[in-house]
Amino acid sequence: EITTNLEQTGKTSGDYVGQIETLQKDLSTVGSIGAADDVINNILTASRNATKEIRDLREKSRLHQEQMDDLKQELESIRDESRTDQLTGIANRRQFDERLQQLCDLSAKTNEPFSLVLADIDLFKNFNDRFGHQAGDQVLAIVGGKFRQNVKAKDLAARYGGEEFA
């Protein structure tokens, strides 16, 4: 739609330029004040039409910009959701893998080490089997929340998988 609007505006502005050039030629060849008055009125009409088209395009452009901003926000939200574990609210395996790769690359480049801590909830399967998946989900959410509360801003807490955290 944006491309169509721009193409239409290009055509309209080209038409306007052509009209003005023709009217300028007409104005230079008129023999009377009445004929000149008609040509000037035609120039004014063409200018008004072009001005209206430009205003319309500005409004359409503004609306398109709002739509694009909304889409950017929606895409960012979807991107965040795709990288967050819904149960615990911390990073998921995808985000963990991305960050780990970044840290490995940076460490190789700068020769600086980094730390990785892996944690596993002992006997979680037994707990889950005994008390049910809802209770198990609550435990995972609590543990994820504790990780989230206790990591530094530059660090990443992630659910690595199942009952494993990093």
Side-chain angles (χ1 to χ4, degrees):
E1 193 174 334
I2 292 170
T3 303
T4 302
N5 287 339
L6 289 173
E7 288 171 354
Q8 181 60 40
T9 301
K11 181 183 179 311
T12 301
S13 64
D15 292 347
Y16 173 68
V17 169
Q19 287 176 349
I20 294 297
E21 288 172 347
T22 301
L23 291 168
Q24 285 172 340
K25 287 178 190 170
D26 291 349
L27 191 58
S28 66
T29 61
V30 294
S32 70
I33 292 180
D37 202 30
D38 288 343
V39 172
I40 290 170
N41 283 332
N42 289 339
I43 290 172
L44 290 173
T45 299
S47 291
R48 282 186 201 107
N49 292 340
T51 301
K52 183 186 179 311
E53 293 252 354
I54 290 168
R55 282 191 184 122
D56 290 348
L57 176 66
R58 281 185 184 158
E59 179 59 19
K60 286 179 184 177
S61 294
R62 186 187 64 74
L63 292 173
H64 288 297
Q65 186 62 49
E66 286 177 8
Q67 289 173 338
M68 288 190 305
D69 290 345
D70 290 346
L71 285 173
K72 283 179 189 177
Q73 279 185 321
E74 194 174 324
L75 284 172
E76 188 63 31
S77 175
I78 290 169
R79 181 180 167 271
D80 288 346
E81 285 178 18
S82 75
R83 300 174 76 228
T84 303
D85 179 66
Q86 296 302 306
L87 181 62
T88 61
I90 60 177
N92 64 12
R93 177 68 181 264
R94 171 186 286 170
Q95 187 175 357
F96 169 79
D97 288 343
E98 290 171 2
R99 178 68 70 85
L100 182 60
Q101 185 62 56
Q102 291 169 353
L103 289 171
C104 288
D105 293 346
L106 181 63
S107 180
K109 201 183 227 183
T110 63
N111 209 25
E112 290 289 322
F114 66 92
S115 297
L116 171 62
V117 177
L118 294 174
D120 179 270
I121 302 174
D122 286 338
L123 306 173
F124 182 75
K125 183 181 179 335
N126 293 341
F127 179 89
N128 219 17
D129 290 345
R130 183 169 180 195
F131 297 104
H133 290 286
Q134 284 185 324
D137 286 353
Q138 287 177 334
V139 168
L140 292 173
I142 290 168
V143 171
K146 293 297 180 188
F147 271 94
R148 187 175 53 252
Q149 291 170 357
N150 291 292
V151 297
K152 296 176 186 171
K154 67 178 184 167
D155 295 334
L156 178 74
R159 183 172 175 200
Y160 187 75
E163 75 280 2
E164 302 163 334
F165 295 85

